[in-house]
Amino acid sequence: MTAFPSAPRPGRKPEDQRARLRDAAAEVFLEHGFGMTTVDMIAQQAKASKKTLYAHFTSKEELFVAAIEAICGDTLGPLAALDGPGQTPQQVLTVFGLRMLERILSPRAIAVHRLAIGEATRFPEQARLFYRSGPATLQAILTDHMRALQAAGHLLADDPAWLASVFIQMVIGDYQRQVSMAMIPAPSPAEAERHVQRVVALFLGMRG
């Protein structure tokens, strides 16, 4: 089974059995998909009994919700805060763009993206859950940053949500598609920086 590295969770206690079961479920879901995963497989991965698993989660669906929310939280958490008050719009968007590209193109995030696309037709509710926890949350985070830049007079357009959507697609759109299809590897740090700087320059040039 492929192991997808997860971001460390500060303060997590070793005895947190619910988190351990959730993380084990995430590995199985990412490897086999929602439909092919069974509770027995998750229990085996977690080295726990089904009784223990059901003491913490009532169903496979609840496990999936917890797993996806945890993965998306780990992926998007670093994007919520941008360091340094008084930064220019170029600095704010460059830092955000680089962080976003790194997080969204990580092996774990790509695996979740593939899972959601692959299961969308058979399990639309699970796909909607991923969208709410992932792409919709990402846009909400960036919309807040756009709103702050707008309030400071740096952005002239009157729809921060639209600006956020455009910027996200400019930064990750083609990269995410091609990496998800295993057509290309994730960009190197130098390639990512060059790409994001070009996007930011273009984005700010069309801001009015």
Side-chain angles (χ1 to χ4, degrees):
M1 178 178 292
T2 302
F4 297 97
S6 58
R9 299 184 182 91
R12 191 175 105 180
K13 299 178 181 179
E15 65 269 26
D16 188 349
Q17 195 167 41
R18 181 180 172 88
R20 184 174 64 84
L21 295 169
R22 179 200 64 206
D23 292 347
E27 298 302 323
V28 182
F29 284 128
L30 292 178
E31 183 73 14
H32 298 284
F34 178 78
M36 296 297 294
T37 291
T38 66
V39 173
D40 284 322
M41 292 164 65
I42 295 171
Q44 182 179 9
Q45 174 72 11
K47 296 181 174 57
S49 68
K50 289 175 65 175
K51 181 179 178 180
T52 297
L53 196 150
Y54 279 122
H56 293 275
F57 299 94
T58 60
S59 64
K60 183 175 81 167
E61 287 75 13
E62 186 181 351
L63 266 166
F64 186 82
V65 169
I68 292 301
E69 287 180 344
I71 293 171
C72 289
D74 285 342
T75 300
L76 301 180
L79 301 177
L82 295 181
D83 300 328
Q87 288 185 324
T88 66
Q90 182 176 6
Q91 291 170 326
V92 171
L93 293 176
T94 298
V95 170
F96 188 93
L98 287 170
R99 288 183 184 176
M100 176 172 63
L101 201 60
E102 177 187 17
R103 305 300 295 180
I104 297 301
L105 298 185
S106 69
R108 198 168 179 84
I110 289 295
V112 175
H113 184 256
R114 289 171 176 158
L115 170 63
I117 297 300
E119 302 279 39
T121 301
R122 292 185 300 161
F123 304 102
E125 186 54 42
Q126 278 65 43
R128 282 191 287 270
L129 165 68
F130 162 73
Y131 186 81
R132 290 194 302 270
S133 300
T137 298
L138 173 61
Q139 178 157 341
I141 291 171
L142 183 53
T143 296
D144 286 342
H145 292 312
M146 292 293 186
R147 192 174 288 117
L149 290 174
Q150 187 181 56
H154 297 307
L155 299 176
L156 302 181
D158 60 359
D159 189 344
W162 179 82
L163 289 173
S165 178
V166 169
F167 185 77
I168 289 168
Q169 292 308 311
M170 290 173 72
V171 173
I172 71 172
D174 202 42
Y175 270 124
Q176 187 181 44
R177 284 188 290 270
Q178 293 193 57
V179 173
S180 294
M181 297 170 67
M183 296 173 63
I184 61 171
S188 68
E191 291 170 333
E193 185 167 2
R194 185 164 56 249
H195 168 68
V196 170
Q197 287 177 346
R198 293 177 67 185
V199 167
V200 169
L202 179 61
F203 181 81
L204 292 177
M206 54 184 274
R207 61 182 175 173

